[in-house]
Each structure stands twice: as structure tokens, then as C-alpha cells.
Amino acid sequence: MVIDSMGMPQADDTNETPARRRILVWDIPTRLFHWSLVLCFTVAYLTSESERWQLWHVTAGYLFGALLLFRLIWGVVGTRYARFSNFLHGPKTVLAYLASLLSRHPKHYVGHNPAGAWAILAMLGLGIFTVITGWASFSDYGDWFGELHEGIVNLLLLIIGIHVIGVLVSSLLHHENLVRSMVNGYKLGNAADSIQYAQWIIGALVALGLGIFLWALLTSRLPMLLP
């Protein structure tokens, strides 16, 4: 409380907590990448054991790889919460965040939390190795590539499972629907923490590029990539 020149108490604005509101956190390209990657991985996994569906398995794999390549680029030049520099933290920060989950007031991050960030990095790395070993196996560079490919996919599934559990736990502890926020892009926070633009044009260009790539694959415009 502050006392004015007349001796009357006044509210101290410096101690007031900024009002929380719906703010834009996830841009269109990031959301498009996330759900397209989920779809491609699901299709590739479900068609992995069938010769009949090999075309779809390989096509989904190539799209998966293209999405990963885009995410690496967007992680450098993208919006605030999409950039790797925003959400990658050292081991001490990760451990401190995990410890805070056991307290009554777990630390909250507007974008990716430190633990989730490392899970994302692991999924990106394993995803890249999945594409490389899948391509090598498909190109007959050795049967051992097929076995390595399957092993990496199983490890990737484990990390995905941990990621999903982490999302559910974090949603409960922080009282926010993280799945919904990755759909509509919005979370509750301070106005100053919002990104300015949803990047609709870049999102449309990414979608167009993926559509053209898919069309080229399925119409044999890229015969060196498919059976």
C-alpha cells in the first residue's frame, strides 16, 4: 500500500499480478507440424507389417522425414515458443522443474516445460534415425538396417508414451488442457507473453508443400523414392 501526499492510502500497482487471459502461444506451422507428424507416424506404424500397404508405409515415412526437416528449420527461425533456444534447458533446470511437480505450486512455463523439451528433442533425433534406417532398409543396404529401424521405432514409441503421460500430468497439475492448446494455439497467460502472429501464410505454404510432395510420391513423379 502507498500513502499519497494527502495521507490517504492508495493501491500499489507495482504489486498487482497482471490479469491472465487467452494468449496465442503456438503458431500455425508448429501445430500443423505436430498433428501431421502424429498422422504420418500412425500410418507408417500401422502399415509396417504388410507388403500390401508398403506404398503407404514408405510414403508416410518420407512425409515424416520432410516434416522433421521443416521442424529443424522452424526451430531456428520460427516464432518465440517454437525456437529451440526458448525451450531447451540444462539438466539443473530440468531437475528443478521435476522437483517442483511434487510441490503444491509446480513451476509453470508458457511454452514447452524443460522436461517436455528434452522429450521433444529425443523424438526429433530418433525420428531422423528412423527415417534414415528405414530408407537404408528399403534400399537393400543390408538386413541389419531393418532390425535397427525396428529397434529405433520401438524406442521412439517409448519416448512418445512418456511424452503423452507428461502432457496429461502437466495438464492436471497446471489446470490447463495442453492438447487443446496444440489444436487452437491458445493458453492462459499474461498479454506480454503472447506471440504476435499465427503465421497463417507460412502454415499455408507448408501445407501446400506437403501436398505437392505427397502428390509427387503417389503419382510416381519421384520414382527413385518408392517401390
Side-chain angles (χ1 to χ4, degrees), residues 54-60 62 138 214 216-227:
Q54 184 185 54
L55 174 63
W56 288 103
H57 176 76
V58 177
T59 300
Y62 281 126
F138 172 72
L214 176 61
L217 288 170
L218 296 180
T219 58
S220 301
R221 296 302 196 277
L222 301 171
M224 73 293 295
L225 297 181
L226 292 174

Side-chain angles (χ1 to χ4, degrees), residues 141-203:
Y141 279 99
D143 293 338
W144 68 276
F145 272 112
E147 297 177 2
L148 181 60
H149 178 69
E150 184 176 350
I152 293 175
V153 170
N154 289 333
L155 183 57
L156 180 56
L157 272 174
L158 175 62
I159 301 298
I160 291 173
I162 294 174
H163 173 65
V164 171
I165 293 173
V167 167
L168 295 176
V169 171
S170 186
S171 294
L172 291 173
L173 291 177
H174 296 298
H175 305 289
E176 59 182 355
N177 191 327
L178 296 181
V179 176
R180 183 174 60 193
S181 71
M182 190 53 74
V183 173
N184 60 27
Y186 288 89
K187 298 176 71 174
L188 289 178
N190 300 324
D193 294 327
S194 176
I195 63 173
Q196 190 170 5
Y197 302 109
Q199 304 294 340
W200 281 96
I201 294 178
I202 294 179

